Amino acid sequence: MKLLKNYKFLLAILVLPFIVATCYTIEEITQPASATPNSPIGVTVRIRLDAETDSPSKLIFGILVPANWNSSQIASMSVTTTGANYPANIVTNEAMTPVGPTETDPAIGMLWSEAFQMKEGLLNNLRPMKWIVYKSSTTFAIHDHPESNPGDKTMTATVSINLTTGAQNVKFFMGYACCGSHEGFSGDRWGSPKGRASVITVTDGTGGLTDYTVPPPVSTVPQNFGWGDIFSVQFKELQSALRDAPKIYLLGTVTYDGGQTKTVNQTGAKTLMENLGEGSWQRYIYLKDFFDLPAGAVVEGLSVYFANEDKSITVQDTGGEFVIEEARE
Amino acid sequence: MKNFALILAAASLLLSFSGCKEDDRTKMDQSDRTDYDLVYGLRQVMQYDPMNIDGINIVDKFDFFGTLRLTIHYAGGKISAVTFSNGNIPFAPVDFTVPTEKTEAFLDTDVLPNVIRLKESGKAIATYLRGEFIITFRLDSPLVSYKYTFKSVE
């Protein structure tokens, strides 16, 4: 009997983290699978809030979009609750607001957007993305024992988002994740990512389709950086005409100061890429140094291509040089 | 046999200690001299971003990192001045102009971790942390940060 009690105790300990971790569960996403550029779309995300602590919290909600999308593309976000009995928990179309620029996750102390990036990641997207984070104004009271504490034991919150798509043709996993303002992404309570994502394809826009759901032949490390940062351009040559080249060189064009351009098109030590193995090559660059730009130059764009030593073989994107995009935040 | 194993273990331990290149690090001088200069170069340049929170060492990716020199001048056993040469690095790790000539400085022990401050301006030029001098900075994106760690080059 004692053994059985111990067993139950152990089981409770094992199950508790799971229960705790499921306090905010995204149950359903209603999102269009396709859209046209610069057009409004509506998304609803239904979230179940379950009791697990007695810490009233605002709802913190993040949406994952391409890094070159602007925060202002989120036209509005609101929350409506259902299944709540406690009067203060009942809200209808309550406007949510962006978290403040200095507001941080209480558990790990990072800005909310960084905390979402760290804990939820890119949700299978393979190009630069960013989290835009909103919060409710209502502090929802969710309690294990609502009979003795003001609040509800469980309820549903439906977040409605109105946003405008970007100008470019793009396919990506639009992601959603949430947590409470009081506990945040508490390390003890938060295990693997709990965000969910749904593919959306924006077509009939500018340029070719940029597909975030498949590995890009060209990428950067860090994924998010400013033109004034050091970054590496990485190139996967497995499927390219350069797959047998013993050396690969990074060449390209920078645009700066109102449309002026400067080109690096010589193969040599300065442009030689580092072989990372398995068909991957990289070259770290600092733009002002790589392109020998004047001090104070303001970089506006970068495009690159790859070549073997005598430039008899070059690899470019379908419409010209590969465009590298700045993503500072 | 047991004795042999013990001797072997002791010998291995000694060898492992001899492999630690203390002189490569930025320990302050431990000798009896009180007036001297120590010249440092970059041992590591770490780049951090949200996807690489442990950082990537990029010191070997650019030749220009090998040209930076930080000289710390000691008088009476205390830091009295610094000479900073950014070499060929096309950016600066601090947001103020550091005089390239020998400039009076001191180790500010009123803050933790301790920092080397320029005497005249009070600006911090480097931090002394866990036995090493470091400089942390950003260049552009608020998500990307850098950390210089120094080694003695003399």
Side-chain angles (χ1 to χ4, degrees), chain A residues 31 192 205 212 235 246 256 268 286 288 315:
Chain A
Q31 170 202 295
S192 56
Y212 283 56
F235 172 55
Y256 68 102
Y286 180 68
K288 288 183 180 175
V315 171

Side-chain angles (χ1 to χ4, degrees), chain A residues 289-306:
Chain A
D289 175 63
F290 190 76
F291 287 99
D292 195 20
L293 297 177
V298 177
V299 175
E300 293 157 352
L302 171 68
S303 59
V304 301
Y305 66 101
F306 307 93

Side-chain angles (χ1 to χ4, degrees), chain A residues 67-87:
Chain A
N68 58 5
W69 282 29
N70 196 304
S71 304
S72 63
Q73 288 176 235
I74 309 280
S76 67
M77 196 180 293
S78 62
V79 60
T80 298
T81 56
T82 51
N85 294 313
Y86 181 57

Side-chain angles (χ1 to χ4, degrees), chain A residues 159-268:
Chain A
V159 174
S160 300
I161 308 152
N162 292 307
L163 62 89
T164 304
T165 57
Q168 271 84 38
N169 293 320
V170 64
K171 178 181 180 184
F172 67 99
F173 293 103
M174 191 176 284
Y176 312 92
C178 56
C179 63
S181 61
H182 189 268
E183 298 290 340
F185 290 105
S186 170
D188 294 337
R189 298 168 185 272
W190 210 265
S192 56
K194 290 163 182 53
R196 288 180 56 183
S198 183
V199 169
I200 184 167
T201 306
V202 179
T203 54
D204 295 334
T206 309
L209 178 74
T210 304
D211 191 345
Y212 283 56
T213 67
V214 297
V218 179
S219 58
T220 62
V221 174
Q223 282 194 333
N224 290 23
F225 63 91
W227 293 133
D229 280 305
I230 290 168
F231 58 93
S232 85
V233 177
Q234 301 199 341
F235 172 55
K236 286 188 182 297
E237 45 79 352
L238 284 176
Q239 304 299 321
S240 81
L242 284 168
R243 61 185 171 275
D244 296 324
K247 292 180 180 177
I248 293 180
Y249 296 82
L250 171 70
L251 309 172
T253 304
V254 68
T255 308
Y256 68 102
D257 288 354
Q260 296 183 64
T261 60
K262 226 170 181 184
T263 299
V264 167
N265 57 10
Q266 297 296 313
T267 59

